[in-house]
């Protein structure tokens, strides 16, 4: 592939105002979908050529789904059949220059009339470089595939050692973070331990496999209701997950995880699902960034600017109802993206802007077969089979594209009847968790 | 993951004779499936944890299918529910020692009573290290994923350059080898050029995209009938593939492909589908290897041994009907695997062995939508829609597992009606075609 200095953005000149969207996540695509190219020239940048449905990423990591089932190519989503004057570029944005109204990318600068930052989040290791180096994150497709291969390779290798301590280390899986990702991952691993792994690895004793879920607060799923937390705790315990509440991880050197209490667990696999911070881009005034997120007003305008916006997880909109900002899930991003499309049209017509009002549709988390929890509006909390069925329905319907809906549904039906996680291939060309040099290469050349 | 010296094979002791199978391809799995563990302890080694249905690998490379649809985990295939005393180990075999009846692997040696070499083939670059370094092979799942990402990235980058020569180089795809892989790949790329790419990349002029198929002999699909070759040539030409017969590639430096004639083509992507040689393992006497394949008698016994066998592509069985060996396709491997299972049981019972007789079920190749060619027994040759329908049917039915059949069929039905190749994600964590150092790491530690 070519080096960045051989490339240029090649965005055609236009008489329409130019809207630059950084990020093809939930916020970015819902904004762009409402703008069919009639009022604005839309330029979208992303470092991936696809939109990912991240709530299902943990199923890619546990062999339940393939990446293509949860991801949709952005060019397919915005094909020229339906969207005119839409321009996608697979490139990393490196900085914002509000004074000149330009954005810098690895391969050149571009002027904008309106700029939307919809970059989402990145893992937050709270400054612990050792954990950053050795832990397995679960935020991107390659990371999910890498984790899947890691887990399967642990069993392969556990099968090939006679040393009890080594084997135990391979069979200990520590998941840091009791939010939705951590809980759903722990549940999926526990289901695999029951149904799939014992027949795959008759030489291993799966009572030795430990799934340890570590949460710093005093309950799992802290963003959900207490009822949901309690049910989830019960379900996970029934599935044999070792839950450690009020527990913080102090370090991990690739072999030993050390808790703040001093306790140590030997493990080859520590999965980091503990925290995220906004993927803020350089160039905004310091005063606009608070705790890693970009401060915006009710119209998602970045503090002090009327033509720069931030939406979704990277934005921090403080309201009386959400003084610390909206929850970091898909719905606020989707709703902010849609509203911003309206507001941009209002701006063109010199009309007043509409403030954002979050419509909380509720929260769901799946723990295992027939086990899920739901917090619905009007203080409706329940679990069990009904929550599980709702979870499946909501997630299939939310997927982009008919093909993805069909494939995911077929996979789940198949899995329900066969207890099988279909996809257990170990595929990782050149991926080693501790090889940050390669990762740097990727970041630099945008080759992920 | 652990280093090889921390691991050992851990195969349980047994009173049954031990059969070691190297390779989980068509030959290996058909042999093992017929031995349910009652007569032999079966030990299978492979460097991948899955069996791949390689005739469809080109569809993974062109975004038509996901890896999991064409691959089946070997442990799932031989789960303990159905196969007793079967032991799979994900490890590379490094040598054979007939004098001590042992096999060496990266993590230790093992004694065998019977040994079956079913390792298939590896790409043959005919000693040209430059081509080996820069060409894209298409023999394994990671290679197919890498090629898919490469092709898509070429379009992304072509869209981001104003230099006409650079753009042309990105839009030139040279496929070396006019056998089934080369032909099917050329056809699939040509179909994408017609249906998918123009709406994905409205900024590119796809009349500039060239698909150049290079074949050293005087016709495409040389292993098939002259009728099939002629039809294939016509179909490919109709699809706009630039076919160069009697043409040999002399070199490729990652930027310029040079033919023996001296002609040069600038291209970022040269795909090597030109030749294979047997993946022979060290340790057999020199006299047993001829042109990269292992000489076997009619019972697949390696020349000079009665307890070492070679089956499938790695074996060279010369018969009056096939003086140069059987064709390098799935059927001979499948049939030899099945027969060998019978013959191994004959050996246990001191019964005479049955000689191999190839049952040629015919050959098929698909070129594009509604276009395929078929050579069936009794000199039956035809093309067009009927051959295409047969190709689809045969390939779906040949897939291992109900899930794979279902998923592949759904994908094809979807594609037929929508003209869409569903899976166009660029996912390659740490894969760079010229990074042989990383490949060496993989080979050494068997981490693919």
């Amino acid at each position: 592939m070519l080096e960045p200095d051989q490339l240029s953005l090649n965005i055609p000149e236009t008489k329409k105002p130019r809207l630059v969207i950084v990020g093809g996540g939930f916020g970015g695509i819902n904004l762009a979908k409402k703008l069919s190219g009639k009022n604005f020239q839309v330029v979208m940048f992303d470092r991936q050529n696809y939109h990912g449905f991240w709530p299902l990423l943990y199923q890619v990591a546990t062999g339940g789904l393939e990446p293509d089932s949860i991801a949709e190519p952005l060019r397919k989503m915005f094909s020229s059949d339906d969207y005119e004057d839409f321009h996608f570029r697979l490139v990393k944005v490196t900085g914002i220059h509000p004074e000149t109204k330009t954005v810098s990318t690895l391969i050149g600068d571009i002027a904008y009339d309106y700029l939307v930052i919809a970059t989402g989040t990145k893992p937050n290791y709270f400054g612990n470089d050792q954990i950053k180096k050795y832990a397995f994150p679960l935020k991107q497709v390659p990371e999910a595939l890498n984790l899947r291969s890691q887990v399967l390779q642990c069993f392969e290798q556990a099968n090939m050692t006679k040393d009890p301590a080594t084997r135990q280390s391979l069979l200990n899986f520590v998941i840091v973070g009791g939010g939705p990702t951590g809980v759903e991952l722990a549940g999926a691993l526990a289901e695999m331990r029951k149904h799939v792994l014992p027949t795959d690895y008759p030489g291993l004793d799966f009572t030795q496999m430990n799934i340890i879920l570590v949460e710093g607060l005093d309950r799992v799923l802290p963003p959900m209701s207490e009822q949901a937390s309690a049910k989830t705790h019960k379900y996970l315990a029934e599935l044999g997950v070792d839950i450690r509440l009020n527990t913080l991880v102090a370090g991990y050197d690739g072999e030993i995880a050390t808790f703040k209490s001093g306790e140590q667990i030997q493990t080859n696999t520590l999965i980091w699902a503990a925290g995220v911070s906004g993927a803020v881009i350089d160039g905004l005034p310091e005063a606009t960034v608070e705790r890693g997120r970009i401060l915006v007003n009710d119209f998602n305008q970045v503090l002090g600017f009327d033509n720069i916006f931030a939406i979704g997880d990277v934005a921090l909109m403080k309201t009386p109802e959400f003084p610390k900002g909206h929850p970091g899930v898909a719905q606020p991003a989707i709703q902010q993206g849609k509203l911003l499309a309206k507001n941009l049209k209002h701006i063109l017509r010199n009309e007043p802007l509409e403030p954002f009002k979050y419509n909380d549709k509720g929260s769901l988390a799946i723990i295992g077969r027939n086990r899920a929890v739901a917090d619905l509006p009007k203080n409706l909390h329940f679990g069990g089979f009904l929550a599980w069925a709702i979870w499946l329905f909501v997630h299939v319907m939310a997927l982009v594209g008919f093909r993805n809906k069909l494939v995911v549904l077929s996979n789940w039906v198949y899995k329900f009847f066969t207890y099988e996680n279909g996809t257990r291939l170990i595929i990782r060309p050149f991926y080693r968790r501790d090889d940050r040099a390669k990762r740097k290469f990727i970041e630099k050349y945008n080759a992920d």
Side-chain angles (χ1 to χ4, degrees), chain A:
Chain A
M1 291 286 91
L2 303 184
E3 302 293 308
D5 57 11
Q6 296 174 277
L7 299 171
S8 59
L9 289 172
N10 276 3
I11 308 290
E13 291 301 316
T14 175
K15 285 182 178 166
K16 285 177 250 177
R18 178 182 286 153
L19 170 68
V20 171
I21 305 173
V22 186
F26 286 111
I29 65 161
N30 278 285
L31 165 59
K33 274 179 175 275
K34 296 276 174 192
L35 302 168
S36 55
K38 296 205 174 55
N39 304 303
F40 297 89
Q41 180 187 58
V42 178
V43 177
M44 181 181 281
F45 295 121
D46 202 299
R47 292 197 296 157
Q48 281 149 350
N49 77 328
Y50 49 88
H51 165 73
F53 187 70
W54 305 130
L56 291 180
L57 189 64
Y58 84 95
Q59 294 215 356
V60 174
T62 50
L65 292 174
E66 273 298 271
D68 285 29
S69 311
I70 68 152
E72 185 80 352
L74 288 163
R75 288 188 180 277
K76 181 174 166 190
M77 204 178 265
F78 297 103
S79 87
S80 61
D81 288 348
D82 304 310
Y83 294 87
E84 56 174 277
D85 218 356
F86 174 92
H87 308 276
F88 173 74
R89 293 294 180 270
L90 180 70
V91 75
K92 180 177 177 168
V93 170
T94 52
I96 300 169
H97 313 286
E99 64 288 358
T100 54
K101 291 173 72 176
T102 53
V103 160
S104 293
T105 76
L106 271 183
I107 64 169
D109 297 353
I110 183 172
Y112 62 79
D113 296 296
Y114 302 96
L115 171 64
V116 179
I117 303 165
T119 43
T121 58
K122 57 184 182 186
N124 184 357
Y125 299 96
F126 305 107
N128 191 319
D129 286 339
Q130 195 198 33
I131 293 178
K132 185 174 175 183
K133 184 169 173 186
Y134 290 108
F136 287 84
L138 184 53
K139 288 281 297 168
Q140 298 185 15
V141 167
E143 290 168 353
L145 291 174
N146 188 43
L147 179 56
R148 179 204 292 185
S149 293
Q150 164 75 12
V151 170
L152 293 170
Q153 271 187 298
C154 280
F155 299 125
E156 292 294 341
Q157 296 208 339
N159 211 11
M160 297 194 289
T161 177
K162 282 181 176 147
D163 178 53
T166 304
R167 188 167 51 236
Q168 190 58 62
S169 175
L170 289 161
L171 294 177
N172 284 345
F173 297 90
V174 176
I175 301 168
V176 187
T181 300
V183 160
E184 297 186 335
L185 190 63
L189 284 176
E191 289 282 359
M192 281 178 81
R193 177 172 58 183
K194 264 170 78 174
H195 298 299
V196 174
L197 297 173
T199 53
D200 264 16
Y201 299 91
L204 290 178
D205 171 8
F206 279 93
T207 62
Q208 291 186 351
M209 175 180 168
N210 294 315
I211 303 160
I212 301 140
L213 182 65
V214 180
E215 167 58 44
L217 300 178
D218 61 356
R219 59 184 177 111
V220 293
L221 287 183
M224 289 185 69
S225 67
E226 304 230 348
Q227 293 94 320
S229 289
K231 275 217 174 64
T232 300
H233 196 108
K234 179 174 154 274
Y235 291 155
L236 286 172
E238 283 168 5
L239 282 167
V241 173
D242 178 356
I243 305 165
R244 313 279 182 102
L245 299 175
N246 301 307
T247 303
L248 293 166
V249 173
Y252 177 57
D253 63 1
E255 292 176 358
I256 292 168
T258 305
F259 298 151
K260 282 263 158 68
S261 65
E263 193 195 345
Q264 296 193 318
I265 293 181
Q266 224 188 324
T267 178
N268 284 58
T269 314
L270 182 135
I271 299 150
W272 191 256
V276 293
S277 63
V280 176
I281 306 171
D282 286 346
L284 289 173
E286 262 182 49
T288 62
V289 180
E290 189 178 308
R291 286 178 295 124
R293 294 168 84 183
I294 301 171
L295 285 163
V296 297
N297 65 14
D298 285 356
F299 315 114
N300 285 100
Q301 286 166 314
V302 176
L303 200 76
F305 299 95
D306 55 9
N307 64 339
I308 305 181
F309 305 81
I311 57 176
D313 280 0
V314 74
L316 177 56
M317 184 191 290
K318 295 181 187 176
T319 63
E321 208 185 338
F322 297 96
K324 290 178 172 182
H326 297 86
V329 293
Q331 276 302 324
I334 293 169
Q335 294 174 24
Q336 288 178 357
K338 287 180 178 170
L339 179 69
L340 182 53
K342 265 194 199 173
N343 276 335
L344 285 166
K345 290 180 198 164
H346 286 317
I347 289 175
L348 285 196
R349 299 188 207 112
N350 277 314
E351 293 164 357
L353 303 186
E354 299 174 42
F356 180 68
K357 180 91 186 62
Y358 180 44
N359 173 16
D360 186 356
K361 297 184 174 176
S363 303
L364 296 161
I366 191 168
I367 293 93
R369 199 177 176 81
N370 300 345
R371 289 181 175 100
V373 290
D375 286 343
L376 295 192
K378 301 187 181 168
N379 256 338
L380 204 57
H381 311 288
F382 56 93
F385 182 82
L386 180 62
W388 180 77
I390 292 176
W391 187 95
L392 295 181
F393 178 78
V394 166
H395 282 79
V396 165
M397 294 314 292
L399 280 166
V400 176
F402 173 71
R403 181 185 167 279
N404 287 354
K405 288 188 179 67
L406 190 75
V407 172
V408 169
L409 188 65
S410 322
N411 267 291
W412 288 348
V413 170
Y414 175 82
K415 188 173 159 186
F416 182 78
F417 287 106
T418 62
Y419 292 80
E420 267 281 357
N421 281 25
T423 66
R424 302 200 292 280
L425 313 188
I426 299 178
I427 302 175
R428 46 175 180 188
F430 299 132
Y431 202 115
R432 247 202 140 189
R433 60 181 169 174
D434 51 353
D435 198 329
R436 289 286 146 172
K438 290 177 204 152
R439 194 165 289 193
K440 283 287 166 226
F441 171 87
I442 300 300
E443 277 167 16
K444 189 167 170 209
Y445 291 113
N446 174 40
D448 56 0

